[in-house]
């Protein structure tokens, strides 16, 4: 009985030390991952500065005929503005088409 208690008292500091080592290793791993992330962010910003055309939004020309066609399709598919048919699949498709073209 005394040996078991003595054994427990001797091993408790070792267990606590092992837990502390684990916590330190996890903290070091987090720091190294954060440094890698910061380094990759710096490299990405340098690349973006070298290619400014990538930062500009893509400008697409609006096709008036396609927009008008989409508007007419929307009116036909969705019905009257007072009582529209929003739940119909044709109306949903027409709405997506008008947003894409106009």
């Amino acid at each position: 009985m005394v040996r078991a208690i003595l054994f427990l008292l001797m091993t408790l500091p070792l267990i606590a030390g092992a837990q502390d080592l684990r916590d330190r290793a996890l903290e070091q791993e987090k720091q190294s991952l954060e440094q890698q992330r910061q380094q990759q962010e710096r490299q990405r910003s340098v690349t973006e500065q070298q290619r400014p055309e990538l930062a500009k939004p893509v400008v697409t020309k609006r096709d008036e005929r396609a927009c008008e066609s989409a508007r007419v399709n929307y009116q036909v598919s969705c019905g009257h503005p007072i009582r529209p048919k929003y739940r119909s699949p044709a109306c949903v498709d027409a709405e997506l088409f008008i947003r894409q073209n106009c």
Side-chain angles (χ1 to χ4, degrees):
M1 180 75 172
V2 174
R3 286 185 181 176
I5 294 174
L6 197 57
F7 178 73
L8 283 175
L9 290 176
M10 297 297 274
T11 57
L12 279 177
L14 294 175
I15 294 171
Q19 182 68 27
D20 188 42
L21 287 174
R22 179 181 168 269
D23 291 342
R24 276 192 253 150
L26 287 174
E27 188 63 35
Q28 286 177 349
E29 182 68 24
K30 285 181 186 178
Q31 288 176 355
S32 69
L33 288 174
E34 181 65 25
Q35 288 173 353
Q36 288 176 358
R37 186 193 64 78
Q38 289 175 355
Q39 184 179 12
Q40 288 173 351
E41 187 69 30
R42 279 189 232 113
Q43 289 174 351
R44 187 177 321 133
S45 68
V46 167
T47 304
E48 288 174 357
Q49 288 174 359
Q50 291 173 351
R51 298 185 65 191
E53 69 274 2
L54 295 179
K56 296 178 185 175
V58 176
V59 178
T60 57
K61 290 190 174 185
R62 182 177 163 189
D63 186 6
E64 293 297 326
R65 289 180 66 202
C67 186
E68 181 64 20
S69 174
R71 186 186 64 77
V72 169
N73 184 28
Y74 180 78
Q75 288 177 344
V76 169
S77 299
C78 294
H80 197 272
I82 294 175
R83 194 168 156 253
K85 305 178 231 174
Y86 289 129
R87 291 199 170 111
S88 74
C91 183
V92 172
D93 290 340
E95 187 173 346
L96 291 174
F97 188 62
I98 198 168
R99 287 184 185 186
Q100 183 181 19
N101 288 316
C102 295

